[in-house]
Amino acid sequence: MNILEKITQHKQAFSKSERKVAEVILANPQIAIHSSIAALAKMSDVSEPTVNRFCRRLDTKGYPDFKLHLAQSLANGTPYVNRHVEEDDGPEEYTKKIFESTMASLEVARQSVDINTINRVVDLLTQAQKISFFGLGASASVAHDALNKFFRFNVPVVYFEDILMQRMSCMNSSEDDVIVLISHTGRTKSLVEVAQIARSNDATVVGITSKDSPLAKECNLVLSLEVPEDTDMYMPMASRIAQLTLIDILATGFTLRRGTKFRENLKRVKDTLRGSRFEKRND
Amino acid sequence: MNILEKITQHKQAFSKSERKVAEVILANPQIAIHSSIAALAKMSDVSEPTVNRFCRRLDTKGYPDFKLHLAQSLANGTPYVNRHVEEDDGPEEYTKKIFESTMASLEVARQSVDINTINRVVDLLTQAQKISFFGLGASASVAHDALNKFFRFNVPVVYFEDILMQRMSCMNSSEDDVIVLISHTGRTKSLVEVAQIARSNDATVVGITSKDSPLAKECNLVLSLEVPEDTDMYMPMASRIAQLTLIDILATGFTLRRGTKFRENLKRVKDTLRGSRFEKRND
DNA sequence: AACCTTCTTGTAACTTTTTAACAAAAAAAC
DNA sequence: GTTTTTTTGTTAAAAAGTTACAAGAAGGTT
C-alpha cells in the first residue's frame, strides 16, 4: 500500500509536530529518501525522535524502514497489466501495450502452472521411445518450435502440421511413445480425435491445453495454462507465448535430467551449425 | 535502471566474495532489503566491508543507498532478472527461472526496439503486394507463426522452411513485395543469400535480426532486438519469444492501419473456424 | 622456486545514524 | 487552579555503517 497516500489519510491523527514532518515529506519525497533522520528533523524544524515517532505511527519499524516504504512508493509502480489495444493507438502505444500484456500473461501463466505435472511430463519425455508434437493453426508453430528444440537432443521426434499425417502417425504409435498435443482452446475436433487414436494404441498423450476441455479429457496428463485469451484482435497472442515458454521449460527439464554428458552433446550440435554461418569478428 | 539486472550483468566483474553477496541477494531480494549490513554479511559468509564494497561497485553511495535502489527495483513490478538455470535446479527452480528470464528479456526487448522502424515496417506491409516470411532452424517457427497471423488478414502471404523454395520464391519477387527475414544472429549464410537475391529483384527486405550483422547489412530495414542470448542451454529461448512478440506487434499495427472494416473481416475468419470445434457449453 | 606486485579480504577503530529513556513543556480534564 | 495526560525535546546509549590498514591470496617475473 502506497505510503504517501497513507500519510495524507493519517494527517488528522498526527500531532502538530508530526504534521510538520508530513508536510515536508509530501512537499518533496525525493529529497526525504536521501536524507538522514537528522537532516529531515532540521528541515521540519522538529527533533529527531519526533521524526522517529512519525514513522512508527505509520506502522513502520523506524526511520530506515519508513524510507524503504517511501522509496517503493516513489518507484513508478506500474506492474504489467493486460491492457487492450485501442482503435486509435499509435505505434508507441500498441507496442508498449503488447509487450506489457505479454509479460502480464506470462506472470499469470507462471502462477497457474503445476510444477508437479511438469515434473511428470519431463519424466515421460526422458523415457519415451518417440516423441511427437502436434498442433493445428496457431498452435502448429508451437509444435514446430518444440520439434526444433527436441531435435537437438538426438531423440526420435516427430512433427506434422497435416492432420492426416498426424492421424497416421498416431495409428502407428505404441506404448512407449509420447504424443504432445497443443491447443489453446482444446476444442479442435480433429485434434481430439488424434488424441483418441493415440490412446487406443496405448501411447501416452500429454495435452498443453485448457483445463476441462474436450481435449484435456482425452489426455493422460494435462499441462494447463490459465492465460486470459486476447479476444480483441481475434488472434491468439499471449497464449502462444506461454505455450512456448512451457516448451522451453520442458526442454530444460529434459536436458537437466539427462545430465552433464548429454549437454556436451548439445554443444557439439551447436558447433556443427557454425559452418553454415559467417564468423563473428572479435574486433 | 533495475539494480537486480545490474547485479546479474556485473556478475563477472565481481570478486569471489562479492559474488557470494550477489547470489544471496538475487536468491531472495525481499529478505535483503530488510537486513542490516551485518546480517547480510553473515548470510553471505563474508565480512561487512565486503558487502559495502559490493554496494559501491554498483555505483551506490553505500549500503543504505543500495537498499534504497533495491527496494525501488522490487517495487517497480519487475523483479524479473535473467537468471541462468543451474545444474542441480529442481522443477520448481528452473520453471521459475525460465519464466522470469523470459519476462526480463521481453522488458529489455521493449526498451531496445525502435518504434519508428516498427511504424515504417507496418507501412511497408500494408502496401505490399505479397508478404514473405522466411527463417531457418529455430527462427523457422517464428516465420511459421507470422504466416498464421497474416494469413488471417487475407493478404497474399508466403512461408517456406525449405531453403531452395525460399530462393526460388525470392527470384520471382518484384518491387512491390516485402520479404521478412528472421534470424537471431544474422549470420546464417543461406539467409543472407536469400536477402541478396530478393534485393536484386527490387523487393523490399526487412530483417528481424541482430544489429550490424551480415544479414542486417543486406536489408532495407532492420528491426533489431537487443535480447541477451542464453548461452547456457545451447538453444535459443528468449530471443525467439521476443521475435514472436514483435510479430504480434506488426500484425496489430497492420490491422489498426487497415481500419474497422478490415477487423470485421477478421472476426468472420474466426467465426469460420467454429465449425471445426466443439461448442463451448455455457453452464 | 623464490620474489615481487597486485588484488582481495578481514580486523579493528571510528563515525554516523538511529533509537531508548527520561524530563520538561504544553494541552486537556477535572 | 490543580492534576492528569499527551506531546516534545534533551541526553545518552545502542546499532549500523564506514574508513584505514594489514594480512593473505593470486598472479606474474626473474
Side-chain angles (χ1 to χ4, degrees):
Chain A
M1 132 90 84
N2 192 318
I3 210 157
L4 282 168
E5 294 194 21
K6 215 170 176 179
I7 294 174
T8 22
Q9 279 178 12
H10 256 258
K11 217 161 184 179
Q12 301 311 317
F14 288 135
S15 74
K16 204 167 55 179
S17 304
E18 282 166 355
R19 210 165 305 150
K20 279 200 236 171
V21 180
E23 304 282 353
V24 171
I25 291 171
L26 289 176
N28 203 337
Q30 286 295 344
I31 286 186
I33 57 170
H34 290 297
S35 306
S36 69
I37 195 169
L40 188 58
K42 204 168 178 184
M43 280 192 273
S44 317
D45 197 30
V46 298
S47 70
E48 294 169 31
T50 300
V51 176
N52 194 282
R53 283 189 279 261
F54 165 84
C55 298
R56 297 256 164 87
R57 210 170 286 274
L58 291 158
D59 298 317
T60 62
K61 285 180 189 165
Y63 185 65
D65 190 40
F66 167 78
K67 279 214 291 196
L68 239 58
H69 281 260
L70 188 59
Q72 290 193 323
S73 298
L74 291 180
N76 36 334
T78 33
Y80 303 125
V81 198
N82 214 322
R83 289 189 301 147
H84 287 306
V85 175
E86 307 283 339
E87 187 73 33
D88 50 358
D89 280 345
E92 193 143 356
E93 283 90 40
Y94 65 73
T95 301
K96 194 175 174 215
K97 282 183 179 176
I98 290 175
F99 267 114
E100 295 194 348
S101 301
T102 306
M103 289 187 272
S105 303
L106 278 177
E107 178 60 41
V108 173
R110 179 171 80 106
Q111 280 162 11
S112 76
V113 85
D114 182 49
I115 308 281
N116 238 317
T117 313
I118 285 182
N119 205 19
R120 286 169 65 195
V121 172
V122 170
D123 256 343
L124 282 173
L125 292 176
T126 47
Q127 285 157 29
Q129 283 276 322
K130 189 180 78 184
I131 306 174
S132 309
F133 292 100
F134 298 149
L136 293 170
S139 301
S141 62
V142 178
H144 190 168
D145 186 79
L147 168 80
N148 254 299
K149 287 233 154 53
F150 282 83
F151 183 76
R152 296 188 181 213
F153 301 159
N154 196 27
V155 290
V157 55
V158 166
Y159 151 77
F160 292 116
E161 200 176 350
D162 186 300
I163 180 67
L164 287 176
M165 295 295 277
Q166 294 179 0
R167 291 176 81 113
M168 283 195 282
S169 179
C170 284
M171 279 177 197
N172 293 323
S173 64
S174 65
E175 206 181 342
D176 298 321
D177 293 349
V178 175
I179 322 274
V180 182
L181 299 179
I182 301 156
S183 163
H184 175 60
T185 59
R187 305 186 176 285
T188 313
K189 280 176 188 166
S190 22
L191 211 61
V192 175
E193 287 165 21
V194 166
Q196 288 164 338
I197 295 169
R199 283 294 293 279
S200 67
N201 283 286
D202 297 320
T204 309
V205 178
V206 175
I208 297 183
T209 186
S210 179
K211 211 163 61 183
D212 304 324
S213 64
L215 177 57
K217 291 200 178 71
E218 303 293 334
C219 296
N220 295 93
L221 269 175
V222 175
L223 272 169
S224 70
L225 291 165
E226 299 307 311
V227 175
E229 177 60 291
D230 18 39
T231 47
D232 259 20
M233 279 295 154
Y234 310 115
M235 42 187 182
M237 301 209 280
S239 58
R240 212 192 28 170
I241 302 273
Q243 287 166 358
L244 281 168
T245 308
L246 200 53
I247 298 289
D248 285 348
I249 290 165
L250 293 178
T252 304
F254 192 92
T255 59
L256 287 179
R257 191 70 60 90
R258 287 291 189 94
T260 319
K261 255 205 181 139
F262 179 69
R263 275 195 295 295
E264 280 162 12
N265 217 55
L266 255 187
K267 186 164 159 37
R268 219 166 38 243
V269 172
K270 205 193 176 189
D271 292 345
T272 316
L273 290 175
R274 199 156 292 161
S276 66
R277 297 212 171 135
F278 289 108
E279 282 304 317
K280 193 168 192 170
R281 285 163 309 143
N282 294 312
D283 55 8
Chain B
M1 132 91 83
N2 191 319
I3 208 155
L4 282 168
E5 296 220 11
K6 216 169 176 179
I7 294 175
T8 25
Q9 278 180 11
H10 258 257
K11 214 162 186 179
Q12 300 311 318
F14 287 136
S15 74
K16 205 169 51 178
S17 305
E18 282 166 356
R19 211 164 306 148
K20 280 199 235 170
V21 181
E23 304 282 353
V24 171
I25 290 171
L26 288 177
N28 204 334
Q30 286 295 344
I31 285 186
I33 56 170
H34 291 296
S35 305
S36 69
I37 195 169
L40 187 59
K42 203 169 181 184
M43 280 192 271
S44 317
D45 197 29
V46 298
S47 70
E48 294 169 31
T50 301
V51 177
N52 193 282
R53 282 188 280 262
F54 166 85
C55 298
R56 296 255 164 88
R57 211 171 286 272
L58 291 158
D59 300 318
T60 62
K61 286 180 189 167
Y63 185 67
D65 190 37
F66 167 77
K67 279 215 291 195
L68 238 58
H69 281 260
L70 187 59
Q72 291 193 326
S73 297
L74 291 180
N76 236 350
T78 40
Y80 308 128
V81 198
N82 215 322
R83 289 190 300 149
H84 288 304
V85 174
E86 308 281 341
E87 188 73 30
D88 50 357
D89 280 343
E92 192 143 357
E93 283 91 39
Y94 65 71
T95 301
K96 194 177 174 215
K97 282 183 180 177
I98 291 175
F99 265 114
E100 295 194 349
S101 300
T102 306
M103 288 188 272
S105 304
L106 279 177
E107 177 61 40
V108 173
R110 179 171 79 107
Q111 280 164 9
S112 76
V113 85
D114 182 49
I115 307 282
N116 236 317
T117 314
I118 285 182
N119 205 21
R120 284 168 66 194
V121 172
V122 170
D123 254 343
L124 282 173
L125 291 176
T126 46
Q127 283 157 29
Q129 281 276 323
K130 190 180 78 185
I131 305 174
S132 309
F133 293 99
F134 299 148
L136 293 169
S139 301
S141 62
V142 177
H144 190 167
D145 186 78
L147 168 80
N148 254 299
K149 286 232 154 52
F150 281 82
F151 184 75
R152 296 190 181 210
F153 300 160
N154 196 27
V155 289
V157 54
V158 167
Y159 152 78
F160 293 116
E161 200 176 349
D162 186 300
I163 179 68
L164 288 176
M165 294 296 276
Q166 294 180 0
R167 292 176 80 112
M168 283 196 281
S169 178
C170 283
M171 280 178 196
N172 293 323
S173 64
S174 65
E175 207 181 343
D176 298 322
D177 293 348
V178 175
I179 324 276
V180 182
L181 298 179
I182 302 158
S183 165
H184 175 60
T185 60
R187 305 183 176 285
T188 313
K189 281 178 189 167
S190 22
L191 211 61
V192 175
E193 286 164 22
V194 165
Q196 289 164 337
I197 295 170
R199 284 293 293 278
S200 67
N201 282 286
D202 297 320
T204 309
V205 178
V206 175
I208 297 183
T209 187
S210 179
K211 213 164 57 183
D212 303 325
S213 64
L215 177 57
K217 290 199 178 72
E218 303 292 335
C219 296
N220 296 93
L221 269 177
V222 176
L223 273 170
S224 71
L225 290 166
E226 298 306 312
V227 176
E229 178 59 292
D230 18 41
T231 49
D232 259 19
M233 279 296 152
Y234 310 113
M235 41 188 183
M237 299 208 282
S239 57
R240 213 194 27 171
I241 303 271
Q243 286 167 357
L244 280 168
T245 308
L246 199 52
I247 298 288
D248 286 348
I249 290 165
L250 293 178
T252 304
F254 192 92
T255 58
L256 288 179
R257 192 68 62 87
R258 288 290 190 96
T260 320
K261 254 204 182 138
F262 180 67
R263 276 195 294 294
E264 281 162 12
N265 216 55
L266 256 185
K267 184 162 162 38
R268 214 165 44 240
V269 173
K270 203 191 178 190
D271 291 344
T272 316
L273 291 174
R274 197 156 292 160
S276 66
R277 298 217 168 127
F278 289 109
E279 282 305 317
K280 189 166 195 171
R281 284 163 309 141
N282 294 314
D283 53 11

